[in-house]
Structure formats: C-alpha cells, structure tokens
Amino acid sequence: MRKLFAILALGCSLCMVACSSGGGKTVTRIDTNSTTDLSGKWNDTDSRLVADEMILSCLQSQKIEKIIGEMGRTPTVVIGKVRNKSHEHISVETFVKDMERALLNSGAADFVANSAERAELRSEVADQQGNATEETAKELHQETGADWMLTGTINTIVDQEGGQSVIFYQVDLELTDLQSHKKLWMGDKKIKKFISKDSVKL
C-alpha cells in the first residue's frame, strides 16, 4: 500500500511540474526591428528592407530627380497592384504598406489612397452630403490626382536537393506616368537564401 501511495505521489508531482512548465513552450518578446529568419521564407524583415531600399533607389535615380526638378513641385504617387507570383503565401498588403511608409517618410513624394481605399473614402464623402453640417461636409470632386503609379511583382525560384534548398526572390517595381503611360523607372531587388536542415517543406 505504501508503494502505491508513493507511486501516486510521484505521478502527481511530475504532472504538476509538466503543467507549470507550460509543456516546454517559451515565449520571448523581441525587438520588432530585429532580423529573424526561422524558416528561410519571406518575412517582415525582407518586406521592410526591400521596400526601403527600392523606394530610395527610385526617388534618388537621376532621371526621377530630373523630372521632379522640371515639375517644380512634389509629385503624387499611387501604389497599384503588386502581384505575388512566388510559390509562397506572401502578405502583399504588408509590403505595400512598407512602401507607402518609405515613400511618405522620404519627403520626396506624396501618395494618395489606392482604388479600394478611394471607393470607401468616396462613400463616406457622399454620405456626408446629406448628413453632415454644411460647414464640416467635405466637397465632392476635390480629390488630388496622382501623377505616377507604382506597380510590381514578387517572384521566386526554388532549387532543392535532399535537406538543402536555395530560395531566390526577385522583386520588380515599375513607376509609370499616368498621363502618358511612359515608364519612368524600373528597379529590382534580389534576395538569395540557403537553407539546410533534415527536412525542408516548401
């Protein structure tokens, strides 16, 4: 009987330790600007760094600087579609927001809401016409038209053998004049990642 009680007591003790340890799971908060690459796939660091570098490259190109100088004012840019043609599920919306932030923070250009956002804004302005006071209601047909549109694609090439793989990312962006449809700038950013582990699932 004593042995039985001893075994039960030991079992309860082990159960309490296991429960208190959370099943071996540890959560640690880290700096959101830190570089983390657990799976080797596209992540928040890639999105932020690519957006910053490509927007800077665009606005500092000699041709764009010359055009801005000839305009004599700050150009207005709208970000169009950025298509994910890669093999991964990539949050394109996050990448677009990173580009908008980089564009706005550069001070070299303004940007306006995209087509989906404009539809929601127009609905709100239209609703104000019959519901808001005359002093506060925003007028229709007073939007700022964009001068240029930025569009792009994200592509990948995967080379895999056994437990090793290489993922090649290429982001291509184009800046187009909305009046003439002329291509004003084209840029690309390449990222290559080598992944080595026992089992790679892509």
Side-chain angles (χ1 to χ4, degrees):
M1 183 64 70
R2 290 181 179 178
K3 289 183 178 181
L4 177 61
F5 283 128
I7 292 173
L8 291 174
L10 178 61
C12 290
S13 298
L14 291 174
C15 180
M16 292 178 64
V17 170
C19 292
S20 64
S21 64
K25 184 177 181 180
T26 302
V27 177
T28 304
R29 293 183 182 273
I30 60 176
D31 186 352
T32 55
N33 292 319
S34 63
T35 300
T36 53
D37 217 331
L38 300 179
S39 66
K41 296 181 180 181
W42 178 275
N43 56 35
D44 63 310
T45 300
D46 297 317
S47 178
R48 184 178 68 253
L49 295 181
V50 170
D52 288 345
E53 184 174 326
M54 294 196 77
I55 292 298
L56 185 64
S57 174
C58 174
L59 296 177
Q60 290 187 349
S61 69
Q62 292 183 352
K63 183 174 182 179
I64 296 302
E65 287 185 336
K66 180 181 178 182
I67 294 174
I68 293 177
E70 292 173 349
M71 291 174 67
R73 61 177 177 82
T74 302
T76 302
V77 180
V78 62
I79 298 181
K81 288 186 177 180
V82 177
R83 295 177 173 84
N84 176 24
K85 295 184 177 181
S86 75
H87 70 290
E88 294 180 14
H89 172 70
I90 292 177
S91 176
V92 173
E93 184 178 353
T94 300
F95 180 54
V96 168
K97 289 300 180 183
D98 282 334
M99 287 196 293
E100 289 181 347
R101 173 189 48 76
L103 192 63
L104 186 63
N105 290 344
S106 71
D110 296 324
F111 74 90
V112 292
N114 60 37
S115 57
E117 294 169 331
R118 288 199 301 273
E120 185 175 0
L121 292 168
R122 287 168 182 164
S123 176
E124 171 60 25
V125 174
D127 183 72
Q128 288 184 9
Q129 304 310 304
N131 296 292
T133 63
E134 184 176 350
E135 294 78 14
T136 61
K138 303 304 176 285
E139 298 181 24
L140 295 168
H141 312 298
Q142 297 298 315
E143 300 175 21
T144 298
D147 300 300
W148 304 334
M149 176 177 280
L150 188 66
T151 56
T153 58
I154 303 174
N155 287 282
T156 53
I157 298 174
V158 180
D159 185 16
Q160 181 175 335
E161 179 65 32
Q164 296 182 331
S165 64
V166 174
I167 306 179
F168 174 80
Y169 296 89
Q170 179 163 324
V171 181
D172 294 284
L173 295 179
E174 297 181 357
L175 188 67
T176 306
D177 184 280
L178 283 170
Q179 183 65 56
S180 65
H181 292 187
K182 289 182 178 179
K183 301 288 185 182
L184 304 179
W185 172 85
M186 297 177 69
D188 65 81
K189 172 64 178 177
K190 300 177 176 66
I191 299 174
K192 198 170 187 177
K193 297 185 180 184
F194 173 74
I195 306 168
S196 178
K197 57 183 179 180
D198 294 337
S199 178
V200 178
K201 294 182 180 180
L202 300 174

